[in-house]
Amino acid sequence: MITNNTEVLNNFIIEVSLIDPVKKIVKQLEEGSFRDCDIKWLNDRLKSFTELACETLNVKIDAQPETTNYTQFNDYVKAKYLSYFNILLSYFKSF
């Protein structure tokens, strides 16, 4: 298969700026690396990745996740974040 430099560069940018960071978050969630104090950071990351995904789909929504009211990082909250970030990861891998 012959690819041009633009395609290779675009794939590299997608991998480095979208897939790798989301993959890292998923891995950290699975390993239990996050604590209560990380909820705001997770919400901010979730919001920014969701807004970017919506922008690529040309969809306008308020990307404020329902998780913003969580104060404790328990198994339920972990499962929610895993679900959200895995969806984003699947979408970004489809580019």
Side-chain angles (χ1 to χ4, degrees), residues 13-31 34 41-42 44-53 80-95:
I13 291 170
I14 290 168
E15 185 78 29
V16 170
S17 63
L18 298 174
I19 295 172
D20 287 348
V22 174
K23 212 186 279 188
K24 182 178 178 184
I25 292 170
V26 168
K27 182 179 180 204
Q28 289 174 309
L29 283 164
E30 291 171 342
E31 293 173 345
F34 292 109
W41 182 85
L42 283 166
D44 291 343
R45 299 305 292 163
L46 180 60
K47 182 177 183 198
S48 65
F49 284 124
T50 302
E51 286 174 345
L52 181 62
K80 285 294 215 179
Y81 282 118
L82 272 171
S83 172
Y84 297 144
F85 282 106
N86 274 316
I87 290 168
L88 286 167
L89 183 59
S90 294
Y91 176 68
F92 293 146
K93 282 182 175 182
S94 73
F95 284 170

Side-chain angles (χ1 to χ4, degrees), residues 60-81:
K60 304 275 187 210
I61 64 165
D62 179 16
Q64 194 62 32
E66 67 183 47
T67 56
T68 55
N69 293 328
Y70 295 141
T71 57
Q72 291 186 332
F73 198 84
N74 54 32
D75 288 339
Y76 175 79
V77 173
K78 176 182 172 179
K80 285 294 215 179
Y81 282 118

